[in-house]
Amino acid sequence: MRKSAADRFRHLFNRSLIFVRNQQNQQHHRLSPIPLSSSPFSSMASDSPFPVTAQNINPQVLKCQYAVRGEIVTLAQNLQKDLQANPGAHSFDEIIYCNIGNPQSLGQQPITFFREVLALCDYPALLDKSETQGLFSADSIERAWQIVDQIPGRATGAYSHSQGIQGLRDTIAAGIGERDGFPCNADDIFLTDGASPAVHMMMQLLTRSEKDGILCPIPQYPLYSASITLHGGHLVPYYLDEATGWGLEISELKKQLEDAKSKGINVRALVVINPGNPTGQVLAEENQRAIVEFCKKEGLVLLADEVYQENVYVPEKKFHSFKKVSRSMGYGDNDLCLVSFQSVSKGYHGECGKRGGYMEVTGFSPDVREQIYKVASVNLCSNITGQILASLIMSPPKVGDESYESFMAEKNAILSSLTKRAKSLEEALNKLEGVTCNKAEGAMYLFPRIRLPEKAIKAAEAEKTAPDAFYCKRLLNATGIVVVPGSGFGQVPGTWHFRCTILPQEDRIPAIVTRLTEFHEKFMNEFRD
Amino acid sequence: MPPKPLDYESINENVKKAQYAVRGELYLRATELQKEGKKIIFTNVGNPHALGQKPLTFPRQVVALCQAPFLLDDPNVGLLFPADAIARAKQYLSITSGGLGAYSDSRGIPGVRKEVAEFIQRRDGYPRYISSPYSLFFLTLHCVNLFKRVLSLVSNLLDKVINYFILYFSDPELIYLTDGASKAVMQTLNTIIKGEGDGIMVPVPQYPLYSATIALLGGTLVPYYLEETANWGLDTNELRKSITEGRRKGLNVKAMVIINPGNPTGQCLSAENLREVLQFCYDENLVLLGDEVYQTNIYQDERPFISSKKVLMDIGPPLSKEVQLVSFHSVSKGFLGECGQRGGYFEMTNIPPETVDEIYKVASISLSPNVPAQIFMGLMVNPPKPGDISYDQFFRESKGILESLRRRARIMTDGFNSCRNVVCNFTEGAMYSFPQVRLPPKALEAAKQAGKVADVFYCLKLLEATGISTVPGSGFGQKDGVFHLRTTILPAEEEMPAIMDSFKKFNDEFMEQYEDHRGYSRL
């Protein structure tokens, strides 16, 4: 013990000296050594000659922003460490992460059937053992056999075809066909490590220079703004109308498109997130038809983010895929370039950590599809577990299967609980002074608008922070609840929002509501004009 | 009708420019033939499980248990899983936030990154790892900073003393887990490359991940040639020539890639050679990107694997504190060979914290690397230890794989060298054989007529005749007028003699058909 303490001290001492020496060197030589990594107070010379410094890296990397895991989350993580070190230092005893749609980190249990199949595929030796029958459902064993047999050489640890394992894509295509009532070709499916890399791939394909624009909803999920920036393109915003439940108006699309064109921007695609993130609206079929018509007329690629397709909470709305809508309008491959993104991370299954997803690309010429394949192949393939899971969510147990009833019970319990949570949070938010919140018809988020008093805005300015970020930081420090400021998603200038997931477990919601309400009252008391 | 945004003419030029031969024309033809029912031996990708290598039992058991945590509560779990796998699974589940189904920290699960850091320390023999007292550490630094005027008086004197101590530890905060090493390379290059004025030095022949990624990101590849006659040696004169040439073209050469052990060339770099490379990077102010994914695939005893980081730390200051190094590793290679999991990491050395923050930000846009592969990474770097229930089996399985690969490397090199007009360096490491084929002029002519690059022509013929799917050397880069092919050494050992026989037979017939005794493509 004694010895190691001495070692440690010597180490610290030496490193401190080196640090000091580095500082001196920086003053004297252009060729100064880099301050030791991790030092929180290192000062980089702005003319540092080193190949990789924050000053000379790719400016697109510097520019992009991703608020869901930004400053507020770092703050939350520090608070959490602080709580561990000094329990009782704050008025709350834990951090509640409502910043990110990560259901299983908040206690949501995985769907048993899916996990049974995955475990069997991970360790196929189980399939040959009789004891396995006692531990796994019969249909999970059967499904695992099917899947293992679909993998060439039954090699679950091998790189697959860069688009994903053929047999799994067949299953997914059949699932899409069943969902839409229109056939799907397995060659149109590209399996990816979650939906995010698929979005990146499309942005990479579409963006040639900053003159290329992508129409994006505002508010939007910041994956879009970040990936457009990273690939050097131009985000062309269109605003969702908060007053009509975050409605998507074609007139607004037209206006923004014309505006962008007049600035010399070549608009190439339209992003639609349905159900909406962070806004939670589910588009009406009528509206979707108009969007399809608009894209066809203007020659835009329709990038349809449909990762929340299972998350619909109101009986009067149903999810319709853009593929189904366009096909039902009689439009085929030659009429519309359509990309639909799906993910294993959302829905009732919420398997974020698996990084599974796919995109279905239709209306692309063979030579472009070849290019997509080539880009996919540079990364060899997406992870096999995620691929298997993507096939499972598109072909869950059916009536008559041994697991069907328990599967449906698990699924319905999760979805109905999410419905309840969405409703109670929405009601609570709407009761707060100066707060209005649209219903979460779908997805996993509420996006309330807060009318901040002038005094609060002034106080935020004094702290050089956006007013909504100011509010969110206050909320975090007072209650341990982590939400994301609306400025991370974009909002009509002069309005302020935050995004809050509906994912904390149901029994936690009342406590969250109480804490939130108390905080808000205090906040308003402090800042009310 | 206006051109559509995704018409071939209107897509991103960088996408079109990128080439990735490992899954290119040859591979596509091979899959077609396979669909037609022909038996294809895929030696185009280092994909061991696809060629029959069995996954190691222990890692698969642990991940299966993590996948189905309800098994852990089942009284019968012991019938199917050994106790140490159960314990390990519980331990991993306790360090994730929500099991395999939740996004992890964007950099990877902290506990696994710690396992990686400890592995690096064990591997490199620098055990001075400080696990947690960073805050204390910085507080001390801060105090010292305040007194630096006082200290500066003595610091000069102490400099020499300090230089005596090589201060090094592997810091989990500077280790990022990724969906495979390819993603790690892409992330790193994306950070470095601003535009086509930025050059990246890459060995030729190279693994086309580098050329493809540089093209996709719009940078410029600056080639340096490995010397085939010196067993693909890396010569610093060539490095100097290459960087001078790059700069003459007005490029801002920012980084240099080494692949050690080499892909496709299979050479292992000596400590001496690595020292020269690091000195070169220091002199020329380059970031060194060390692709070390084949570090456990070593098939000779003269040149064991030495990490760039170890050599850098061995050199000591100023280099050890100034040369910026990013090293890559993967679960896809070694004896694990878990390609389908997509697990990897990169470790950053001497990268300033602001840049690390930026890399973190970009990683966070993809939310997190897949969690099962993070567990595989933990299991790879921290395998069962002597005394554990699963140790014997794990040891037997992994040793069996490596010893067999060693024999296969030998069979393949000898096999190629026994063929007419073929010369092949020994595969010292990695997973590939990269023989040179001296093509007769008539074959070059025939290739031209067919509109193919000569080695593509040869490899296609080989594929049609034998079902062996290789990658032509042109996909990796080679000197003008010389032709190679790459095969993996991964086909099952018992099939190896037959494969080499059928190659020899094909090559004999090919040479018979095209040789007219006038001369060859030059060596």
Side-chain angles (χ1 to χ4, degrees):
Chain A
M1 238 1 255
R2 190 167 271 278
K3 187 169 181 296
S4 85
D7 274 355
R8 193 171 291 172
F9 177 76
R10 198 168 64 224
H11 191 113
L12 293 173
F13 184 61
N14 289 340
R15 289 209 33 166
S16 328
L17 286 175
I18 288 168
F19 175 77
V20 170
R21 201 178 41 148
N22 282 345
Q23 297 259 310
Q24 290 164 348
N25 284 350
Q26 281 189 0
Q27 288 156 13
H28 298 307
H29 308 294
R30 212 183 93 84
L31 257 167
S32 62
I34 286 192
L36 287 163
S37 46
S38 307
S39 167
F41 43 84
S42 56
S43 59
M44 286 301 306
S46 61
D47 60 345
S48 167
F50 285 88
V52 178
T53 69
Q55 282 71 40
N56 70 5
I57 59 174
N58 185 348
Q60 286 154 7
V61 167
L62 289 171
K63 235 193 293 171
C64 75
Q65 289 301 335
Y66 189 70
V68 174
R69 293 215 158 178
E71 186 196 355
I72 198 102
V73 182
T74 312
L75 200 69
Q77 283 166 344
N78 290 341
L79 272 175
Q80 188 162 26
K81 275 183 204 154
D82 199 32
L83 274 175
Q84 274 158 5
N86 330 290
H90 299 272
S91 58
F92 47 88
D93 48 16
E94 61 175 338
I95 303 292
I96 300 169
Y97 287 96
C98 297
N99 58 306
I100 189 164
N102 193 8
Q104 295 193 22
S105 73
L106 294 174
Q108 180 176 313
Q109 291 305 306
I111 299 289
T112 310
F113 175 78
F114 294 167
R115 290 301 190 91
E116 285 180 310
V117 178
L118 290 178
L120 291 166
C121 294
D122 275 337
Y123 184 35
L126 290 175
L127 292 170
D128 299 323
K129 295 188 179 163
S130 57
E131 293 90 339
T132 304
Q133 317 275 348
L135 282 152
F136 291 83
S137 62
D139 56 340
S140 72
I141 297 175
E142 197 191 320
R143 184 67 78 89
W145 268 120
Q146 259 174 35
I147 289 171
V148 170
D149 282 339
Q150 280 169 340
I151 301 175
R154 291 190 180 167
T156 51
Y159 295 129
S160 71
H161 186 284
S162 298
Q163 266 182 266
I165 294 160
Q166 177 76 44
L168 300 178
R169 283 188 280 131
D170 289 338
T171 309
I172 291 169
I176 294 173
E178 215 163 287
R179 180 194 70 192
D180 292 345
F182 292 94
C184 164
N185 181 350
D187 291 340
D188 294 343
I189 306 290
F190 286 75
L191 284 156
T192 50
D193 288 312
S196 307
V199 170
H200 275 294
M201 223 190 273
M202 291 315 298
M203 294 304 173
Q204 182 162 48
L205 193 74
L206 285 164
T207 309
R208 294 161 301 182
S209 74
E210 69 226 24
K211 285 277 165 214
D212 281 338
I214 310 284
L215 267 162
C216 259
I218 297 294
Q220 52 107 24
Y221 176 50
L223 164 67
Y224 292 96
S225 49
S227 65
I228 291 168
T229 308
L230 269 180
H231 292 106
H234 193 101
L235 187 148
V236 180
Y238 67 90
Y239 287 89
L240 301 172
D241 185 7
E242 186 164 12
T244 59
W246 299 111
L248 196 166
E249 302 295 333
I250 302 297
S251 55
E252 167 72 5
L253 291 179
K254 278 188 186 139
K255 190 180 118 205
Q256 297 295 351
L257 178 66
E258 290 316 316
D259 190 46
K261 276 186 185 164
S262 72
K263 288 180 188 149
I265 290 164
N266 186 356
V267 180
R268 317 203 77 209
L270 168 70
V271 175
V272 177
I273 312 175
N274 179 40
N277 176 3
T279 43
Q281 82 285 18
V282 177
L283 297 179
E285 202 175 346
E286 256 322 288
N287 201 190
Q288 288 183 276
R289 285 168 180 270
I291 293 165
V292 168
E293 206 60 71
F294 174 78
C295 287
K296 179 172 156 43
K297 182 162 161 274
E298 302 293 346
L300 298 176
V301 179
L302 179 52
L303 301 175
D305 181 336
E306 300 179 329
V307 300
Y308 296 100
Q309 54 187 269
E310 300 272 3
N311 299 95
V312 178
Y313 308 121
V314 288
E316 65 272 22
K317 288 280 182 76
K318 264 188 81 176
F319 167 79
H320 302 282
S321 76
F322 272 102
K323 171 94 177 300
K324 174 184 166 186
V325 170
S326 65
R327 293 298 178 267
S328 66
M329 293 166 77
Y331 293 146
D333 262 347
N334 297 326
D335 303 297
L336 182 74
C337 293
L338 170 64
V339 185
S340 161
F341 303 100
Q342 167 68 315
S343 164
V344 304
S345 306
K346 310 302 171 188
Y348 54 89
H349 29 81
E351 292 275 13
C352 300
K354 299 295 158 51
R355 315 308 290 117
Y358 70 79
M359 57 179 179
E360 183 193 6
V361 295
T362 50
F364 288 57
S365 64
D367 44 2
V368 173
R369 192 193 293 255
E370 236 169 69
Q371 297 294 319
I372 303 176
Y373 170 78
K374 185 181 71 183
V375 173
S377 77
V378 178
N379 191 43
L380 295 157
C381 70
S382 63
N383 83 81
I384 305 294
T385 306
Q387 292 191 27
I388 294 173
L389 190 52
S391 83
L392 291 173
I393 66 162
M394 296 311 282
S395 66
K398 295 193 173 44
V399 188
D401 293 350
E402 183 185 314
S403 298
Y404 178 73
E405 273 168 34
S406 60
F407 164 77
M408 285 308 283
E410 289 175 0
K411 172 180 167 175
N412 289 336
I414 291 169
L415 287 176
S416 66
S417 169
L418 285 173
T419 308
K420 275 185 250 166
R421 289 180 246 174
K423 200 155 160 29
S424 34
L425 277 173
E426 177 223 316
E427 279 167 4
L429 285 164
N430 272 319
K431 278 188 196 139
L432 302 180
E433 180 185 353
V435 175
T436 50
C437 183
N438 280 324
K439 204 188 275 182
E441 298 175 335
M444 294 182 169
Y445 314 98
L446 287 162
F447 197 64
R449 177 171 174 190
I450 26 174
R451 284 163 188 81
L452 292 170
E454 205 49 44
K455 230 168 103 185
I457 294 172
K458 286 257 158 62
E461 266 167 23
E463 285 187 21
K464 292 202 172 64
T465 169
D468 50 5
F470 176 76
Y471 180 89
C472 294
K473 273 188 231 168
R474 284 276 190 135
L475 174 67
L476 171 61
N477 282 320
T479 64
I481 301 171
V482 193
V483 297
V484 188
S487 39
F489 304 89
Q491 51 202 347
V492 172
T495 67
W496 309 107
H497 299 79
F498 63 82
R499 187 185 84 164
C500 174
T501 71
I502 56 168
L503 296 175
Q505 288 300 293
E506 211 174 317
D507 54 353
R508 312 288 307 282
I509 300 285
I512 293 173
V513 168
T514 314
R515 284 202 228 169
L516 185 66
T517 311
E518 276 172 17
F519 160 78
H520 190 77
E521 268 167 27
K522 274 192 201 143
F523 182 91
M524 292 305 280
N525 287 341
E526 186 178 348
F527 292 105
R528 198 177 288 111
D529 296 321
Chain B
M1 184 135 171
K4 289 203 233 158
L6 280 175
D7 283 351
Y8 186 71
E9 301 69 45
S10 44
I11 63 172
N12 186 345
E13 287 302 321
N14 290 338
V15 168
K16 290 189 216 170
K17 251 188 275 170
Q19 289 302 334
Y20 190 69
V22 175
R23 297 226 156 171
E25 182 183 354
L26 255 295
Y27 173 73
L28 291 174
R29 179 73 190 128
T31 7
E32 263 172 44
L33 286 173
Q34 192 182 35
K35 274 187 193 159
E36 290 165 18
K38 194 172 164 73
K39 183 175 184 253
I40 301 297
I41 303 150
F42 284 99
T43 70
N44 59 307
V45 184
N47 195 7
H49 291 202
L51 292 169
Q53 181 178 312
K54 292 275 162 288
L56 298 193
T57 307
F58 182 74
R60 290 301 190 103
Q61 287 173 329
V62 176
V63 173
L65 285 166
C66 293
Q67 201 74 266
F70 44 85
L71 291 179
L72 294 168
D73 306 326
D74 194 301
N76 292 324
V77 65
L79 297 173
L80 288 169
F81 295 89
D84 56 346
I86 296 171
R88 197 69 185 275
K90 283 184 177 159
Q91 186 240 329
Y92 277 124
L93 287 174
S94 75
I95 60 170
T96 60
S97 51
L100 299 194
Y103 295 128
S104 70
D105 186 306
S106 302
R107 296 163 291 191
I109 300 162
V112 175
R113 281 151 59 212
K114 188 160 169 271
E115 283 184 296
V116 172
E118 284 160 359
F119 153 76
I120 293 171
Q121 283 148 205
R122 276 195 310 276
R123 181 195 68 189
D124 293 348
Y126 282 90
R128 295 187 197 185
Y129 170 54
I130 304 182
S131 60
S132 62
Y134 286 114
S135 45
L136 169 72
F137 180 61
F138 289 127
L139 193 70
T140 318
L141 274 177
H142 205 58
C143 296
V144 171
N145 193 24
L146 292 173
F147 291 107
K148 73 177 186 186
R149 276 165 209 276
V150 183
L151 276 168
S152 68
L153 295 171
V154 282
S155 77
N156 276 344
L157 202 142
L158 283 173
D159 264 3
K160 290 188 180 87
V161 183
I162 293 155
N163 288 349
Y164 222 78
F165 293 90
I166 295 155
L167 298 164
Y168 158 60
F169 58 93
S170 181
D171 181 352
E173 295 296 306
L174 298 174
I175 293 166
Y176 282 26
L177 304 184
T178 56
D179 286 317
S182 302
K183 282 262 169 76
V185 168
M186 291 178 197
Q187 246 166 286
T188 310
L189 286 173
N190 186 30
T191 312
I192 297 172
I193 294 173
K194 283 192 206 180
E196 58 187 344
D198 286 342
I200 311 290
M201 288 177 68
V202 173
V204 174
Q206 53 112 20
Y207 176 50
L209 165 68
Y210 294 96
S211 50
T213 306
I214 292 167
L216 277 174
L217 296 170
T220 304
L221 187 149
V222 180
Y224 67 89
Y225 288 89
L226 301 173
E227 186 47 55
E228 185 165 13
T229 54
N231 205 11
W232 299 113
L234 195 167
D235 178 16
T236 39
N237 290 326
E238 169 61 20
L239 295 181
R240 274 184 212 103
K241 211 174 94 191
S242 153
I243 198 169
T244 312
E245 181 63 16
R247 288 188 176 142
R248 201 182 52 77
K249 290 183 183 146
L251 294 172
N252 180 6
V253 184
K254 290 174 128 178
M256 167 175 172
V257 175
I258 54 170
I259 310 175
N260 178 36
N263 175 3
T265 42
Q267 83 287 15
C268 295
L269 299 179
S270 67
E272 180 51 36
N273 210 181
L274 283 167
R275 263 194 294 276
E276 290 171 352
V277 168
L278 286 158
Q279 185 67 45
F280 174 78
C281 288
Y282 177 74
D283 295 341
E284 302 294 345
N285 194 24
L286 301 174
V287 190
L288 183 63
L289 307 183
D291 180 337
E292 300 177 339
V293 299
Y294 296 101
Q295 55 187 267
T296 38
N297 297 96
I298 306 292
Y299 311 122
Q300 38 72 45
D301 302 314
E302 298 77 51
R303 264 194 296 285
F305 169 77
I306 306 173
S307 77
S308 307
K309 178 144 183 205
K310 176 175 164 57
V311 174
L312 180 60
M313 294 305 136
D314 282 348
I315 295 172
L319 272 70
S320 63
K321 291 194 220 84
E322 295 186 23
V323 173
Q324 297 186 319
L325 168 69
V326 184
S327 329
F328 305 96
H329 201 5
S330 162
V331 303
S332 305
K333 312 300 172 188
F335 45 77
L336 214 53
E338 291 281 6
C339 301
Q341 313 299 341
R342 316 307 292 118
Y345 76 74
F346 61 98
E347 188 196 17
M348 297 170 275
T349 307
N350 295 328
I351 310 291
E354 297 91 332
T355 306
V356 174
D357 286 348
E358 293 296 329
I359 294 172
Y360 179 25
K361 181 182 75 185
V362 173
S364 77
I365 299 171
S366 298
L367 297 158
S368 83
N370 87 77
V371 178
Q374 298 186 40
I375 308 292
F376 272 106
M377 179 57 83
L379 292 162
M380 178 178 92
V381 299
N382 189 13
K385 292 183 179 49
D388 293 352
I389 302 166
S390 299
Y391 175 76
D392 285 343
Q393 189 186 15
F394 185 90
F395 183 74
R396 200 173 55 241
E397 288 174 350
S398 53
K399 190 167 164 240
I401 289 167
L402 286 179
E403 283 180 349
S404 167
L405 282 173
R406 186 185 271 243
R407 290 190 295 268
R408 283 181 261 175
R410 183 42 75 191
I411 298 172
M412 218 162 211
T413 310
D414 291 348
F416 282 128
N417 279 324
S418 75
C419 291
R420 192 158 144 193
N421 296 338
V422 179
V423 282
C424 183
N425 281 320
F426 176 59
T427 303
E428 298 177 341
M431 291 184 170
Y432 312 97
S433 194
F434 197 62
Q436 183 184 148
V437 183
R438 299 163 70 193
L439 296 173
K442 246 170 83 182
L444 302 182
E445 196 84 348
K448 211 170 168 188
Q449 296 240 318
K452 306 269 180 217
V453 180
D455 52 7
V456 177
F457 177 78
Y458 179 88
C459 291
L460 277 170
K461 290 246 170 192
L462 172 67
L463 173 66
E464 305 277 348
T466 64
I468 305 173
S469 161
T470 58
V471 188
S474 45
F476 304 91
Q478 53 201 352
K479 287 185 177 162
D480 283 343
V482 272
F483 300 102
H484 297 81
L485 61 91
R486 187 187 84 165
T487 80
T488 67
I489 58 166
L490 297 174
E493 199 175 339
E494 60 275 17
E495 289 173 27
M496 204 58 115
I499 292 172
M500 293 319 289
D501 284 348
S502 90
F503 175 82
K504 193 177 167 83
K505 183 164 165 279
F506 158 79
N507 184 69
D508 277 347
E509 283 166 12
F510 182 94
M511 294 303 166
E512 203 53 51
Q513 184 182 352
Y514 292 104
E515 215 167 16
D516 61 0
H517 309 285
R518 273 191 294 140
Y520 309 93
S521 65
R522 75 189 154 79
L523 183 62

